[in-house]
Amino acid sequence: MSSLTLEMRNIRKAYGPVRVLEDVGLSLVPGEVRCLAGENGSGKSTLIKILSGVVEADAGEVRMGGKPLASHPDAAIAAGLSVIYQDFSLFPNLTVSENITFLRSVASGEKLFHPFTRRKLAGEVIRRIGVNLNLDQPVELLPVASKQLVAIARALANDARVIVMDEPTTALTRSEVASLVRIIRALKQSGVAFIFVSHKMEEVFEICDSVTVLRDGRVVAEGPASVFDHNRLVESMTGRTIEGQRLHREAAPQAPAFLSVRNLARRGEYAAIDFDLFPGEIVSIVGLLGSGRTELALTLAGGLTPDSGETIIEGKPVRFATIQDAMEAGIAYLPEDRLTEGLFLSQPIRENIVVSSLTKDAKAGWLSRIGMTTRARHAVQNLRIKAPRVDAPVATLSGGNQQRVALARWMERNPRLMILNGPTVGVDVGSKREIHELLVGLSRAGMAVLVVTDDIGEAITLSDRISVMVRGSITATFDGENVDEETLSAEVIREDVR
Amino acid sequence: TNAQGAKHTIVTVVKLSGIAWFNRMEEGVKQYAKETGNNATQVGPATADAALQVQMIEDLIARGVNAVTVVPNSPEALEPVLQKALSRNIVVVGHEASSLKNVTYDVEAFNNAAYGEHLMEAMAKGMGGKGEYAVFVGHLTAKTHNEWVDAAMTLQKSKYPDMKLVTSKIESNENQQTAYQKTKELLRTYPNLKGIQGSAGEDVVGAALAVEEAGLTGKVTIVGTSLVSVSGPYLESGEISMISFWDPAKAGIVMNKVAAMALEGKKVEDGMDLGVEGYNKVKLDGKVIYGQAWVDVTKDNMKDYNF
Amino acid sequence: MTSGPMRVLSSPQGVVTITAFAFALILALSNPTFFSTATLVDLARNSLVTGIFAIGVVMVLASGGIDVSFTAIGAFAMYATIKLLTAYGINIPIAGIFGIGALIGAALGLINGLLVGGLGLPTLIVTLGTLSLFRGALLTFLGTVYITTVPREIITFSRTVLVRVENAAGQIVSLPFSYLVLVGVALLAAILMNGTMFGRKIYAIGGSEEAATRIGINVRRVKVMIYVISGAIAGLAGITQVTLARMANPFDLVGMELNVIAAVVLGGARITGGHGTIAGTLIGVFVITMINTSLLMAGVPSYWQKVVVGILIVLGTGLPIAIDRYVRHRERLARPLSA
Amino acid sequence: MTSGPMRVLSSPQGVVTITAFAFALILALSNPTFFSTATLVDLARNSLVTGIFAIGVVMVLASGGIDVSFTAIGAFAMYATIKLLTAYGINIPIAGIFGIGALIGAALGLINGLLVGGLGLPTLIVTLGTLSLFRGALLTFLGTVYITTVPREIITFSRTVLVRVENAAGQIVSLPFSYLVLVGVALLAAILMNGTMFGRKIYAIGGSEEAATRIGINVRRVKVMIYVISGAIAGLAGITQVTLARMANPFDLVGMELNVIAAVVLGGARITGGHGTIAGTLIGVFVITMINTSLLMAGVPSYWQKVVVGILIVLGTGLPIAIDRYVRHRERLARPLSA
Ligand SMILES: Nc1ncnc2c1ncn2[C@@H]1O[C@H](COP(=O)(O)OP(=O)(O)OP(=O)(O)O)[C@@H](O)[C@H]1O
Ligand SMILES: Nc1ncnc2c1ncn2[C@@H]1O[C@H](COP(=O)(O)OP(=O)(O)OP(=O)(O)O)[C@@H](O)[C@H]1O
Ligand SMILES: [Mg+2]
Ligand SMILES: [Mg+2]
């Protein structure tokens, strides 16, 4: 047993009446990469927080290197554990280099601060991951993807024996994921063990040696990765089979375009954008991070103003000065970073769901509380949000369920055009399918849907049309029925290489 | 409402509790209580705030005391509540507030104009009747302080034409460090400054510190109202030429006496002897009772005063 | 689940209310006349101006801001209104006077609003700046003398009483008519905060500004409005003050900032935004007022008040947290060991 | 990239410094003696106590907290120390006196620290509470009389000067020896904040408390330490005050809270935490002091000072933000139209 790097036994945890983890066990040997899989809310992050000492278990035992581990972050860190949290847990006010090296300095119990040594170390780690970051920039100014890279770099900078990654790839592009995989492989050789959480099936099979599947807080399957295949893994997670194929749909009825853009451009971000969005149609824009897709989406939603070009809604040219203008024109926008841009974390689920559609409960400015609650309950059922009550704060939901709350909010507005930026980031396979079905249903009911994503599989499953965006221009547009993943990713990657 | 001979409950409300001045007044109040057996006590807010005094008097009215004697932070602010007190047959005696309308009597240690002129005379003497000078008031709204310095400035214009006021009244906020900083600025701006007249007890102390630091001891004449316990060190070392005050303990006794007289239906009359030093032959002007109770203290007689 | 008393104690308002009752009981023991309508009326009267200010402050706190300039706005509005009326010998009904005060307050609030909402400056710094600015402008441009000859309308109004009670000693205790200003402002604010979209937007902004922007709330406009409204409320507080004091003192009001903020926070609002109710605020104001004005009755030396206020503030916020921890701990222990 | 002058203007310290220079220039025009060593020395001397307090405050702000109790701590430490020394007629060297003051301050700071760090209570409310509590305790238990007969050591020390300049008019302008206290505290604090892990942990906690906990920082302990240290600094400020005033006034210091916080924020600290430097703070203190103590020289009526301070606070924070926006806008427009 002494060869076990990490062992968790009989872990139990409940929040009030909600049982989150029941008798969960998990072990790691040196050099092992274990995937922790499970639906949204199955308890993965909680298990990780218990392991790292952030949350105290109600019962059970954690041992590292054979010794019991006290429930304290510093104990875990001292024992050689590094965690990449789902929400990154970085210091927005400090520079990239200080963020990367802080964990290591704390762990080694340094008393004095050595900015130069630290900067050097940070530079080395960044080079090892093979990315380009300005070491002296405060983290608050970075885009999400770079923050995720900083979080990864921080875990790597500490000479850890176990590295836990809670969905480390959600915001990364393919090339960055590839270099992460390279690093994991290299560290494996030197005996570092990993716990890896991801909802992306390809990654699980590419990286992991073994799999532990959680469902409703219990371990329902466990074993070497080789005994799982895609279907078996999905089935253990959800208790049912989920198809991976493109969703079937009726052809959209002919209708005039809801929104058209002509020659839209914004300096330094995108240029010469032309397309039409029709009611009853789902269009995806796929592209790498930094390709300008988010800026384009934001422009359509009124969050940015274009420098030139035309936006036409139902034949009439419009100019949006604010998000509100766009909302009034029937456009809804779901942002990519639900934590910082979307949800009121400390406020109840109900408020979060109804807040953008309060006019529904308002008569001449007066609100009806009962109406709000009814609507929120309805939405929670509809989207199968796993929540005890509608007045629980959103902060207590798991990542995937938070995403659904954000979706629910916009659906409440019955928009004419819904723009979704990464609608299923951090959502488990089962729920992803449900969300996709929901979107197809909405679009058939006459809504225009624009999806911005870097998940090519998602684009194919979902879309009637798929546009590829590279460095601020749309380089190709495909018909969703007749395109395969290879063609699409070739288009993206070819441009990436250029 | 009290039967004759019963003990009166008289509460003295001061501007600010705890400072040397009003501690001394409290000694007087206590002495009075001991001598007469009346229930005389003193209270005051923790900050010199008119609103707090209003609240205190409201509470006293609610408690049903027989008389309130008061040293107001802002006489005008107290009028409504004092009117309320009078309307409930509570005797009200003011001090340092000759403008108060809603009082039974107001006790003044002296005529403010006379006192101000007296201070000016002392400063002019120190300055040899010529040169630049400046005046401090605790607050620009403090009526008494303004009466003092106004009378002083008027006297200077007529009697000492060679003296010159350099700038308008300066506010010290009754804070020694403010007085210090302002004096520093004055000295820098008007290097020929020869005299400073203070009003609040802290003014002369702050000014003296600034003068000492500037190495100007003996070159600038500082006079003003203060107490030995506050300004003693500077009287001794010579930065302050003279301080004047009236003994707050005596004022406390007189206020209580007058209040008791009013409760017992006795009238104060012009020329009356109230049996307290400095108030042996009071002058009555309407409701205002003036004594002649100022005390001058210099290096030579400072040992006689321990407050 | 949490038992009743524990639940009450685990909210700041609960603790504060209970402590206040305990405190009142002690006062009553040391002075039996304490429990009387007269005392209550006096308390209500004394909490009037603080209460009106506090309602403006809680709105700002709920939106995630903080305001320290309200006293300066109140003083400015009060003095400017009276000066205007007396200078031109204008005689308008009392409602008009309150209206002018509110307007001036709103105009000053607009300055805060434009700086905070329009330019996006931090609220503490803006209101620290305007506290100094408004006060300085008042004293420099409007004057430093007390205006004691306030318009006849105000005197008449201040003599109108709502409730008149005779206490045991045969003295008359009265609640001024201006108490209705507090009641009115509180009611309107409660409706605004809970019953209108605008109110919900305030809480949304207090919860997360970024998120509020993303759902199409015009954060800037809402913020500007918040400061305009709280400015108007401060203006009303200023006019109320003048009806109580029957004179306009330009040095009045300023200095009570921290006291009002303490009352609001005792009432359950958080400076991090998103929380705070009108009812809670009024409780907080009442408690602070009771302590500040009633200790004298119990024969407590006046500096003790500060000690008591301090302890109460710490207890009122600390106890709920400590109790909450204890309850959770007990709940965990009470669960069966086997799942 | 941003051009030189623009960059200076887009930091609060930059704007504040420049405004201060402009301001000094105007002063100098209206009074040519303004630009003199004497003025500078006087300014330095006048900013002494504010400066020491400000250093304690910036540490608290950097950690994401806020402190309003420091003046009460300073006053308590000052008065308690002097009372102790005079009551027992103890005669110890001046360093010992400062030591006692710092110790008393640290002890009071520990109370803040335990409430904030240990119990996790919100800092504004805790320090509002302890401001009241400490002040009340001082006045209730220690006394309310001025102590004018301070120990001989203090008088000697306060007469020792660091720099002595004679100005044109033959007046002596001197910088007291206690200026070294400010210099020492500032140096130590700068080293602590930038050169030790403890300091970096303070910034980390100010950036994100949750993240700090997760990487194994003992947030509670760090917080307790912050308040202990800032309490000790407040104690030093108190003793410095007594060496300047040569008497211990228990009513002193309290009331300058907002002024000190304004100086710190002018110096670039943010109340949301994570930002703030010692150098910036000193600049902020210097500017605030200059405005507060130099307007008389320019013949400006005293209430104008408030107007000027207010405008400067708003400008100092507003201008950088406005300029930053403008610069970014221009930068984007300068890029080529094709992506
Ligand atoms: N602090 C808390 N209080 C109450 N309930 C909690 C708390 N933290 C987690 N939970 C509950 O525990 C369950 C497990 O959450 P957890 O975050 O571990 O899920 P997850 O598997 O990580 O989901 P996702 O894939 O969406 O991230 C959820 O039902 C959640 O509501
Ligand atoms: N603070 C909390 N309060 C209540 N419930 C919580 C809390 N944190 C987590 N949970 C619940 O615990 C469950 C597991 O959450 P966790 O974040 O571990 O999920 P996860 O496995 O990371 O999923 P994913 O990463 O895919 O979002 C969720 O159902 C979540 O709602
Ligand atoms: Mg999770
Ligand atoms: Mg998750």
Side-chain angles (χ1 to χ4, degrees):
Chain A
M1 289 305 265
S2 63
S3 72
L4 285 181
T5 305
L6 168 74
E7 196 181 11
M8 298 177 81
R9 266 192 297 203
N10 305 331
I11 301 292
R12 194 175 313 133
K13 176 77 192 170
Y15 286 106
V18 188
R19 301 247 157 110
V20 179
L21 293 172
E22 290 282 348
D23 219 12
V24 174
L26 180 144
S27 63
L28 278 179
V29 295
E32 177 182 0
V33 181
R34 177 173 291 268
C35 168
L36 190 57
E39 292 189 283
N40 292 131
S42 56
K44 304 180 296 290
S45 299
T46 306
L47 187 65
I48 288 169
K49 285 178 199 157
I50 288 170
L51 172 59
S52 63
V54 170
V55 163
E56 200 177 344
D58 295 340
E61 188 184 27
V62 182
R63 299 172 88 84
M64 288 265 292
K67 286 193 226 65
L69 190 65
S71 179
H72 242 293
D74 31 351
I77 292 165
L81 183 81
S82 287
V83 183
I84 301 164
Y85 291 94
Q86 202 168 355
D87 62 3
F88 310 148
S89 292
L90 296 172
F91 302 113
N93 55 326
L94 301 183
T95 62
V96 168
S97 98
E98 205 173 342
N99 262 288
I100 292 177
T101 53
F102 216 121
L103 174 63
R104 186 192 170 102
S105 302
V106 172
S108 63
E110 279 170 24
K111 291 274 177 275
L112 296 181
F113 174 62
H114 310 284
F116 299 109
T117 331
R118 275 185 162 210
R119 204 169 174 288
K120 204 163 132 251
L121 173 67
E124 279 162 17
V125 179
I126 290 289
R127 231 167 293 125
R128 198 141 58 95
I129 315 183
V131 293
N132 199 2
L133 284 175
N134 179 355
L135 285 176
D136 301 316
Q137 203 163 31
V139 161
E140 62 195 342
L141 303 179
L142 298 179
V144 196
S146 306
K147 284 184 190 156
Q148 188 147 52
L149 290 171
V150 173
I152 293 171
R154 180 169 75 183
L156 298 180
N158 191 23
D159 299 319
R161 287 159 60 207
V162 176
I163 297 180
V164 180
M165 302 182 161
D166 195 353
E167 301 187 38
T169 58
T170 41
L172 298 189
T173 63
R174 292 174 163 239
S175 63
E176 286 159 348
V177 172
S179 58
L180 182 63
V181 171
R182 236 186 17 252
I183 292 164
I184 292 177
R185 295 229 165 96
L187 286 171
K188 266 178 69 141
Q189 299 308 316
S190 47
V192 178
F194 290 85
I195 294 177
F196 190 87
V197 180
S198 175
H199 293 294
K200 297 182 185 169
M201 291 296 149
E202 329 85 73
E203 285 174 4
V204 170
F205 289 108
E206 187 179 358
I207 301 172
C208 300
D209 305 313
S210 54
V211 178
T212 295
V213 183
L214 289 181
R215 192 198 307 155
D216 291 336
R218 290 172 194 275
V219 177
V220 291
E222 191 179 18
S226 53
V227 309
F228 287 91
D229 59 11
H230 182 274
N231 288 343
R232 162 126 196 254
L233 182 57
V234 170
E235 201 185 331
S236 358
M237 280 166 60
T238 61
R240 61 205 154 100
T241 49
I242 308 252
E243 296 167 61
Q245 287 86 27
R246 181 173 159 75
L247 284 168
H248 177 73
R249 73 200 66 191
E250 307 292 319
Q254 276 311 115
F258 172 71
L259 176 137
S260 313
V261 295
R262 295 287 172 261
N263 206 16
L264 207 63
R266 188 173 151 85
R267 283 189 180 79
E269 285 163 2
Y270 54 81
I273 305 289
D274 279 294
F275 61 74
D276 301 286
L277 296 175
F278 295 96
E281 189 193 37
I282 301 180
V283 176
S284 292
I285 296 182
V286 294
L288 297 172
L289 232 106
S291 61
R293 46 178 206 182
T294 297
E295 288 78 7
L296 176 59
L298 253 181
T299 307
L300 297 181
L304 291 174
T305 43
D307 292 331
S308 66
E310 229 186 333
T311 310
I312 300 148
I313 288 192
E314 295 185 314
K316 289 188 210 74
V318 289
R319 279 194 80 82
F320 298 143
T322 64
I323 290 185
Q324 215 168 15
D325 293 347
M327 283 172 67
E328 269 154 27
I331 298 174
Y333 176 69
L334 177 73
E336 59 183 333
D337 183 354
R338 62 182 175 243
L339 283 185
T340 59
E341 297 183 347
L343 296 171
F344 305 104
L345 287 175
S346 67
Q347 295 192 7
I349 296 170
R350 174 188 51 227
E351 259 73 6
N352 271 283
I353 289 180
V354 302
V355 70
S356 72
S357 52
L358 284 173
T359 33
K360 278 193 183 175
D361 304 303
K363 289 199 185 70
W366 305 114
L367 290 176
S368 143
R369 281 205 152 245
I370 301 166
M372 283 161 58
T373 309
T374 320
R375 230 149 39 84
R377 291 228 176 92
H378 202 72
V380 164
Q381 267 172 15
N382 249 355
L383 285 172
R384 281 181 236 164
I385 296 168
K386 198 179 165 195
R389 302 181 313 272
V390 291
D391 52 5
V394 167
T396 64
L397 294 183
S398 81
N401 282 304
Q402 292 180 359
Q403 180 72 357
R404 292 177 206 215
V405 171
L407 254 176
R409 167 191 294 168
W410 290 110
M411 292 186 175
E412 284 301 311
R413 275 186 72 87
N414 303 327
R416 307 280 310 277
L417 165 63
M418 181 121 146
I419 304 172
L420 305 103
N421 197 346
T424 58
V425 167
V427 170
D428 67 61
V429 269
S431 326
K432 197 162 165 180
R433 188 73 181 175
E434 289 166 15
I435 290 175
H436 288 165
E437 280 164 1
L438 250 157
L439 287 177
V440 170
L442 285 172
S443 87
R444 288 317 103 160
M447 189 194 287
V449 177
L450 178 67
V451 175
V452 175
T453 181
D454 54 6
D455 181 345
I456 288 171
E458 173 168 80
I460 292 178
T461 313
L462 199 59
S463 320
D464 297 302
R465 259 188 307 142
I466 302 166
S467 293
V468 178
M469 193 160 175
V470 179
R471 298 193 186 175
S473 318
I474 290 181
T475 54
T477 299
F478 300 94
D479 184 352
E481 290 290 348
N482 312 316
V483 69
D484 53 26
E485 259 185 62
E486 287 68 40
T487 324
L488 259 183
S489 52
E491 182 66 28
V492 173
I493 287 165
R494 179 177 63 85
E495 294 294 336
D496 193 30
V497 170
R498 187 189 70 176
Chain B
T1 52
N2 271 48
Q4 277 287 340
K7 296 300 176 198
H8 308 301
T9 302
I10 307 171
V11 180
T12 302
V13 180
V14 298
K15 287 183 184 181
L16 184 62
S17 64
I19 63 173
W21 185 263
F22 291 113
N23 287 349
R24 171 75 180 174
M25 185 173 285
E26 195 165 16
E27 285 176 27
V29 172
K30 282 183 179 152
Q31 187 192 331
Y32 171 80
K34 209 165 115 214
E35 283 170 3
T36 62
N38 281 331
N39 178 12
T41 50
Q42 178 178 313
V43 296
T47 50
D49 181 345
L52 291 177
Q53 281 190 312
V54 172
Q55 280 178 3
M56 289 189 150
I57 296 172
E58 288 277 1
D59 286 335
L60 292 175
I61 294 172
R63 239 173 71 186
V65 299
N66 303 119
V68 172
T69 71
V70 59
V71 190
N73 281 306
S74 148
E76 291 88 341
L78 290 190
E79 295 285 12
V81 72
L82 294 182
Q83 189 186 33
K84 184 169 165 188
L86 287 179
S87 75
R88 310 229 169 124
N89 294 325
I90 296 174
V91 166
V92 176
V93 177
H95 178 53
E96 287 187 63
S98 55
S99 67
L100 270 180
K101 295 191 197 76
N102 291 301
V103 286
T104 318
Y105 285 110
D106 178 81
V107 174
E108 297 298 315
F110 38 67
N111 178 296
N112 281 330
Y115 179 72
E117 286 169 358
H118 163 74
L119 285 178
M120 173 54 74
E121 291 283 5
M123 180 167 69
K125 189 165 151 245
M127 293 167 66
K130 58 174 187 288
E132 296 180 346
Y133 74 98
V135 295
F136 276 93
V137 290
H139 291 281
L140 288 172
T141 46
K143 194 166 163 43
T144 334
H145 291 182
N146 281 289
E147 283 178 7
W148 298 341
V149 298
D150 286 342
M153 291 181 322
T154 312
L155 177 75
Q156 172 263 315
K157 279 196 201 102
S158 59
K159 192 167 169 192
Y160 301 104
D162 292 339
M163 285 171 65
K164 181 168 167 282
L165 181 69
V166 291
T167 183
S168 55
K169 298 170 205 165
I170 300 162
E171 195 178 27
S172 70
N173 297 326
E174 312 211 351
N175 180 319
Q176 181 232 19
Q177 281 296 295
T178 310
Y180 164 85
Q181 285 175 4
K182 294 291 176 200
T183 306
K184 271 289 180 79
E185 257 186 281
L186 278 172
L187 292 173
R188 229 187 308 130
T189 317
Y190 308 102
N192 296 320
L193 196 74
K194 288 285 177 290
I196 294 172
Q197 176 173 336
S199 299
E202 292 81 0
D203 295 355
V204 287
V205 185
L209 181 56
V211 164
E212 189 228 273
E213 278 188 16
L216 298 175
T217 306
K219 299 200 177 107
V220 181
T221 304
I222 301 174
V223 301
T225 308
S226 191
L227 290 180
V228 177
S229 63
V230 177
S231 51
Y234 300 97
L235 272 173
E236 197 159 19
S237 56
E239 284 83 21
I240 299 178
S241 310
M242 182 196 88
I243 58 168
S244 296
F245 55 85
W246 60 103
D247 187 342
K250 302 231 159 66
I253 298 175
V254 172
M255 279 196 286
N256 274 280
K257 276 200 165 170
V258 169
M261 284 170 70
L263 284 171
E264 288 150 13
K266 295 178 199 148
K267 280 205 150 30
V268 178
E269 273 148 32
D270 200 38
M272 208 174 193
D273 181 354
L274 294 179
V276 177
E277 191 188 335
Y279 300 87
N280 301 107
K281 190 164 181 294
V282 298
K283 200 165 141 299
L284 189 68
D285 177 7
K287 294 176 187 168
V288 186
I289 303 165
Y290 291 104
Q292 302 82 26
W294 71 64
V295 181
D296 290 340
V297 179
T298 61
K299 196 174 181 170
D300 306 321
N301 64 344
M302 59 183 281
K303 297 281 175 293
D304 306 340
Y305 299 91
N306 65 342
F307 63 95
Chain C
M1 278 269 62
T2 328
S3 61
M6 278 298 172
R7 192 171 320 154
V8 171
L9 274 178
S10 72
S11 82
Q13 292 101 304
V15 177
V16 169
T17 316
I18 288 178
T19 324
F21 270 111
F23 184 67
L25 219 76
I26 298 174
L27 281 184
L29 287 183
S30 66
N31 185 340
T33 66
F34 181 79
F35 269 128
S36 65
T37 329
T39 311
L40 212 72
V41 168
D42 254 4
L43 265 184
R45 190 223 175 259
N46 288 338
S47 60
L48 191 42
V49 175
T50 310
I52 301 177
F53 274 135
I55 288 167
V57 171
V58 75
M59 290 176 62
V60 174
L61 284 189
S63 77
I66 187 162
D67 188 354
V68 295
S69 70
F70 57 92
T71 53
I73 294 183
F76 192 107
M78 166 182 84
Y79 197 76
T81 307
I82 302 303
K83 182 141 188 169
L84 191 80
L85 294 179
T86 50
Y88 296 99
I90 306 169
N91 244 325
I92 51 171
I94 190 75
I97 298 178
F98 274 101
I100 296 176
L103 265 180
I104 296 176
L108 298 180
L110 182 64
I111 297 179
N112 279 336
L114 291 177
L115 291 168
V116 169
L119 272 180
L121 306 187
T123 60
L124 177 61
I125 199 89
V126 164
T127 56
L128 269 174
T130 54
L131 168 65
S132 187
L133 180 59
F134 296 157
R135 178 136 209 254
L138 164 62
L139 298 175
T140 312
F141 303 119
L142 290 181
T144 54
V145 278
Y146 292 59
I147 303 177
T148 45
T149 53
V150 296
R152 200 168 23 78
E153 283 298 324
I154 289 186
I155 302 292
T156 319
F157 179 76
S158 69
R159 291 215 172 110
T160 323
V161 299
L162 207 58
V163 182
R164 185 185 293 272
V165 190
E166 199 157 323
N167 72 4
Q171 299 165 350
I172 293 157
V173 184
S174 58
L175 196 57
F177 207 73
S178 48
Y179 201 72
L180 288 188
V181 179
L182 173 60
V183 174
V185 169
L187 274 181
L188 282 180
I191 292 171
L192 186 75
M193 295 299 274
N194 299 305
T196 70
M197 303 261 297
F198 181 75
R200 300 325 292 176
K201 286 180 185 171
I202 293 178
Y203 285 112
I205 292 174
S208 160
E209 223 170 90
E210 186 61 36
T213 314
R214 285 300 153 100
I215 59 168
I217 293 176
N218 191 332
V219 174
R220 291 175 173 209
R221 199 168 54 200
V222 173
K223 280 194 179 177
V224 173
M225 281 303 296
I226 292 171
Y227 284 90
V228 169
I229 293 176
S230 80
I233 293 177
L236 291 177
I239 303 293
T240 307
Q241 171 74 7
V242 93
T243 70
L244 293 179
R246 300 191 196 170
M247 63 167 212
N249 169 4
F251 297 90
D252 221 351
L253 300 175
V254 174
M256 58 189 289
E257 300 84 23
L258 293 184
N259 205 38
V260 173
I261 293 175
V264 174
V265 184
L266 265 185
R270 304 194 194 149
I271 25 162
T272 45
H275 295 266
T277 62
I278 303 296
T281 302
L282 292 180
I283 295 178
V285 169
F286 201 71
V287 171
I288 284 258
T289 310
M290 181 166 82
I291 300 167
N292 276 331
T293 62
S294 303
L295 281 172
L296 201 76
M297 279 187 77
V300 175
S302 58
Y303 297 119
W304 260 101
Q305 294 175 14
K306 288 185 181 294
V307 180
V308 176
V309 171
I311 291 177
L312 199 77
I313 290 177
V314 171
L315 265 192
T317 49
L319 217 55
I321 296 179
I323 288 177
D324 193 48
R325 286 219 191 122
Y326 170 72
V327 168
R328 281 201 201 180
H329 180 69
R330 242 191 19 184
E331 267 180 19
R332 207 169 63 79
L333 291 188
R335 262 184 256 137
L337 199 58
S338 69
Chain D
M1 277 268 62
T2 329
S3 61
M6 279 296 172
R7 193 172 319 155
V8 171
L9 272 178
S10 71
S11 82
Q13 295 100 304
V15 178
V16 169
T17 316
I18 289 178
T19 323
F21 270 112
F23 184 68
L25 219 76
I26 298 173
L27 281 183
L29 287 182
S30 65
N31 187 337
T33 66
F34 181 79
F35 271 128
S36 65
T37 328
T39 311
L40 212 73
V41 168
D42 259 2
L43 266 183
R45 195 257 178 224
N46 290 338
S47 60
L48 191 40
V49 175
T50 310
I52 300 177
F53 275 134
I55 288 168
V57 171
V58 74
M59 289 176 63
V60 174
L61 284 188
S63 78
I66 186 162
D67 188 354
V68 295
S69 71
F70 56 93
T71 56
I73 294 182
F76 192 108
M78 166 182 82
Y79 198 74
T81 307
I82 302 303
K83 180 139 190 170
L84 190 79
L85 294 179
T86 50
Y88 296 98
I90 305 168
N91 244 323
I92 52 171
I94 190 74
I97 298 177
F98 274 100
I100 295 176
L103 264 181
I104 295 176
L108 297 179
L110 182 64
I111 297 179
N112 279 336
L114 290 176
L115 290 168
V116 169
L119 271 181
L121 305 187
T123 59
L124 177 61
I125 199 93
V126 164
T127 56
L128 270 174
T130 53
L131 168 65
S132 187
L133 180 59
F134 296 157
R135 179 136 209 254
L138 163 62
L139 299 175
T140 311
F141 303 118
L142 289 181
T144 53
V145 272
Y146 291 33
I147 303 177
T148 44
T149 52
V150 296
R152 201 168 23 77
E153 283 297 325
I154 290 186
I155 301 292
T156 319
F157 179 76
S158 70
R159 293 219 167 106
T160 323
V161 298
L162 208 58
V163 182
R164 184 186 295 272
V165 190
E166 199 156 323
N167 71 5
Q171 298 170 355
I172 295 162
V173 183
S174 58
L175 198 56
F177 209 72
S178 47
Y179 201 71
L180 287 189
V181 178
L182 173 59
V183 174
V185 169
L187 273 181
L188 282 180
I191 292 172
L192 186 76
M193 295 300 273
N194 300 304
T196 70
M197 278 305 287
F198 179 76
R200 301 322 291 174
K201 285 179 186 172
I202 294 178
Y203 285 111
I205 292 174
S208 163
E209 220 174 298
E210 181 65 31
T213 313
R214 289 190 179 177
I215 66 165
I217 294 175
N218 190 332
V219 173
R220 291 176 172 209
R221 198 170 55 202
V222 174
K223 281 195 179 176
V224 172
M225 281 302 296
I226 293 171
Y227 285 89
V228 169
I229 293 176
S230 80
I233 293 178
L236 290 177
I239 303 294
T240 307
Q241 170 75 3
V242 92
T243 70
L244 294 178
R246 300 189 197 169
M247 63 178 203
N249 169 2
F251 297 92
D252 223 349
L253 301 175
V254 173
M256 58 189 289
E257 299 86 22
L258 293 184
N259 206 38
V260 173
I261 293 175
V264 174
V265 185
L266 265 185
R270 302 193 196 152
I271 24 164
T272 44
H275 295 267
T277 62
I278 303 296
T281 302
L282 292 179
I283 296 178
V285 168
F286 201 71
V287 171
I288 284 260
T289 308
M290 181 165 82
I291 301 167
N292 276 329
T293 62
S294 300
L295 284 168
L296 194 90
M297 280 189 81
V300 174
S302 62
Y303 298 120
W304 259 100
Q305 294 176 11
K306 289 182 187 296
V307 179
V308 177
V309 172
I311 291 177
L312 199 76
I313 290 178
V314 171
L315 266 192
T317 49
L319 218 54
I321 296 180
I323 289 176
D324 192 49
R325 283 216 195 128
Y326 171 72
V327 168
R328 280 200 203 181
H329 181 70
R330 241 190 21 183
E331 262 179 15
R332 205 175 61 77
L333 290 188
R335 269 186 253 143
L337 193 61
S338 73

